[in-house]
Amino acid sequence: MEEWLKITLCISLFALFRDFRPVDSFYTSYLTSPAVNFTAEQVTEDIYPINSYATTSLVIIMFLVTDYVLYKPIVMLDALSSIVMFLLVLEPITLFKSKLSMVFLGLTSASELAYMSYAYAKVRDRKLYQKMTGIIRGSNLMGKCLSATCAQIAVSVLHIEYGLLVIISLAGSILAFVFSLFLPSVNVSIYFHPESPKPAKPKVNYSTFHNQCHKDLGPCLVKKSPKPVRVVFDQLYSELRDAYNNPYLLKYGIWVSFATGVYFQVLTYNDVLYLKLNELNPVDNKLYNGGVDALAFISGALSSYFIGFLNADWKSISNLFFFVGSLLSCITLCVCYLTTSLNCVYIMYIVFCFVFQSMNVVARSETAKHLKHDNFAFIFGVGFFLSLIVSSIFTYLFVQGTIFAVPVNVQFLIYGLINGGLAIWFFFQMCINKCTIK
């Protein structure tokens, strides 16, 4: 087996167990169940926002630490913080423990870039980035799919209490931590521990007395030390400027910032919308959150695998692809606002996840392939950070009702309109490109 494939499969197994968290599909239901007895308002306004704020405040710090400690320790921390998070929400659970658990969930989310960056650091062939991104992202979503399937079977067929789903999720995180222990170490990183070029063997003239006296001396061993922080920050600024001066990369950076921010909000608050619709009409709007999540994530996994191996000229068709994808995302989220049918919302959510994951693989792989420097982890980190800022702004303004309270279905309308704005932007990009070619 080729070396790049071995590394990709190792990371894929870690990603699969990392996201095996059955309780996620029914987490709002768990927190509002009689066993915990929080109100829906406490969950949406007091508990969930902490995750968004914690992730946003930690992500850039985690990126720099990841590079300094050579990736693997942060991959291990990713799984370890998830273990602590689930330990905190084992019954009995208090409001303080649930809020603290969101801090550790934020740490897990902020560490997410580590395992993808680890893969890029170990595999330096850019021609393999699209395949590698598709496989790892697909495995990540496959873990979510298995998780959601397990959750739905446990709740609907076996009638298991939500608290047991927390224990199963804890077991998945422990397995992920065990897998992370066996990952091979990384010896170099982009910024703090760059690979030293091998010096060419100098031609020695032994005709002189000095050279004759020293010809038997071996090369001097100089201890390699990490770069100073100031030098690293200067390098980061230079590379960020180089990346976003490239219109092709800037396009993906803008999409990632807004579309991923919306995706985080949809993923966090979709079960709140489900619960509201279920309360309005519990007969017709039965909860099948786990089954729907399973379908959404398996469709996203399949699209990721397919896109990863698709041979396409993305420079030519990317604007059309992202225009259609953003338009579909807009339509699906707006329908979630308009309808009161939970089954319709479920279908729209599945389509939305499928479309987003397809675009996400293209954005990631194309960004990695066309960077001037091997600074994929940093650029992804910046994009992730900006998307978290967007998500935090939405949470602060609309979810917590700092300016005005917005019902959850209206929030989905806002998210849909943002995707509509992205679709219009890509349409103009497409028109500009056609005019330029003519």
Side-chain angles (χ1 to χ4, degrees):
M1 187 183 292
E2 295 181 54
E3 188 65 23
W4 77 269
L5 191 55
K6 288 181 184 177
I7 293 166
T8 301
L9 291 177
C10 286
I11 287 293
S12 296
L13 283 172
F14 169 82
L16 189 147
F17 285 105
R18 174 193 184 273
D19 284 286
F20 184 78
R21 303 150 58 103
V23 75
D24 283 1
S25 297
F26 294 95
Y27 199 60
T28 301
S29 299
Y30 170 59
L31 293 178
T32 55
S33 67
V36 180
N37 207 28
F38 294 144
T39 65
E41 287 71 23
Q42 282 178 304
V43 173
T44 56
E45 296 177 14
D46 297 333
I47 298 173
Y48 282 169
I50 293 174
N51 173 34
S52 179
Y53 299 146
T55 308
T56 305
S57 59
L58 289 170
V59 66
I60 292 296
I61 298 170
M62 291 307 299
F63 158 71
L64 293 172
V65 173
T66 298
D67 191 274
Y68 187 80
V69 301
L70 297 171
Y71 303 99
K72 182 179 173 179
I74 305 303
V75 178
M76 295 168 62
L77 178 64
D78 185 342
L80 190 60
S81 57
S82 186
I83 291 171
V84 175
M85 180 259 184
F86 286 123
L87 287 173
L88 285 169
V89 293
L90 289 173
E91 297 177 27
I93 178 174
T94 63
L95 186 60
F96 173 75
K97 286 171 65 178
S98 64
K99 288 181 177 182
L100 185 59
S101 73
M102 289 293 105
V103 176
F104 282 95
L105 180 59
L107 180 58
T108 300
S109 301
S111 305
E112 183 178 355
L113 286 170
Y115 71 84
M116 199 71 230
S117 302
Y118 169 92
Y120 289 132
K122 292 292 288 184
V123 180
R124 292 300 185 91
D125 188 351
R126 295 191 179 209
K127 293 178 182 177
L128 298 171
Y129 283 176
Q130 185 171 330
K131 290 181 181 179
M132 189 172 66
T133 305
I135 293 171
I136 295 174
R137 189 60 182 163
S139 300
N140 163 261
L141 294 168
M142 187 63 70
K144 291 178 182 288
C145 170
L146 293 173
S147 168
T149 303
C150 174
Q152 191 62 56
I153 293 172
V155 171
S156 298
V157 179
L158 303 177
H159 304 290
I160 286 175
E161 296 289 335
Y162 295 130
L164 187 56
L165 295 181
V166 178
I167 298 174
I168 298 172
S169 302
L170 175 62
S173 297
I174 292 171
L175 281 173
F177 179 72
V178 171
F179 270 102
S180 70
L181 295 174
F182 294 98
L183 292 174
S185 299
V186 178
N187 298 320
V188 297
S189 64
I190 304 299
Y191 300 107
F192 287 102
H193 306 277
E195 188 173 12
S196 299
K198 293 181 180 179
K201 198 169 183 179
K203 293 182 180 180
V204 183
N205 181 1
Y206 292 110
S207 58
T208 65
F209 174 79
H210 177 78
N211 284 337
Q212 186 65 42
C213 290
H214 292 80
K215 66 180 179 180
D216 293 326
L217 292 177
C220 296
L221 295 176
V222 180
K223 188 177 180 180
K224 185 179 170 184
S225 59
K227 282 185 180 180
V229 174
R230 183 185 58 79
V231 175
V232 170
F233 275 107
D234 288 343
Q235 185 180 352
L236 289 173
Y237 172 75
S238 175
E239 292 183 359
L240 185 65
R241 183 186 58 201
D242 288 344
Y244 288 123
N245 277 342
N246 183 339
Y248 189 64
L249 295 179
L250 179 62
K251 171 178 69 177
Y252 290 122
I254 292 172
W255 179 83
V256 165
S257 299
F258 287 96
T260 308
V262 166
Y263 177 72
F264 288 154
Q265 293 298 103
V266 172
L267 215 60
T268 302
Y269 296 99
N270 61 343
D271 57 343
V272 178
L273 178 62
Y274 301 159
L275 200 60
K276 290 287 185 184
L277 294 176
N278 173 255
E279 290 172 354
L280 289 174
N281 188 351
V283 176
D284 295 329
N285 291 335
K286 293 181 180 179
L287 290 174
Y288 295 104
N289 300 13
V292 170
D293 279 344
L295 289 172
F297 293 132
I298 191 63
S299 66
L302 292 174
S303 72
S304 296
Y305 285 129
F306 175 73
I307 294 292
F309 288 87
L310 181 65
N311 188 15
D313 182 9
W314 291 111
K315 277 207 165 184
S316 299
I317 66 170
S318 59
N319 285 327
L320 175 62
F321 181 75
F322 277 81
F323 162 68
V324 174
S326 298
L327 185 61
L328 282 174
S329 298
C330 170
I331 293 169
T332 55
L333 294 176
C334 287
V335 170
C336 290
Y337 162 73
L338 294 169
T339 186
T340 56
S341 168
L342 184 52
N343 290 332
C344 182
V345 171
Y346 281 152
I347 294 169
M348 293 300 103
Y349 174 67
I350 292 169
V351 174
F352 171 77
C353 287
F354 175 83
V355 172
F356 173 82
Q357 297 301 345
S358 301
M359 292 190 289
N360 192 37
V361 170
V362 175
R364 281 173 176 257
S365 60
E366 284 298 288
T367 298
K369 280 193 292 188
H370 291 91
L371 285 172
K372 184 177 178 182
H373 311 279
D374 286 337
N375 57 344
F376 29 76
F378 174 55
I379 298 301
F380 288 153
V382 170
F384 188 43
F385 177 66
L386 292 175
S387 64
L388 287 169
I389 289 178
V390 170
S391 176
S392 297
I393 290 171
F394 290 152
T395 300
Y396 184 75
L397 295 180
F398 306 129
V399 177
Q400 291 188 296
T402 306
I403 294 180
F404 50 88
V406 177
V408 65
N409 62 328
V410 179
Q411 292 172 29
F412 274 66
L413 173 64
I414 294 170
Y415 305 149
L417 293 177
I418 289 169
N419 274 282
L422 288 172
I424 293 170
W425 184 67
F426 279 111
F427 177 76
F428 280 115
Q429 290 285 315
M430 195 166 47
C431 294
I432 291 168
N433 285 351
K434 284 185 177 180
C435 291
T436 304
I437 293 171
K438 289 180 181 179

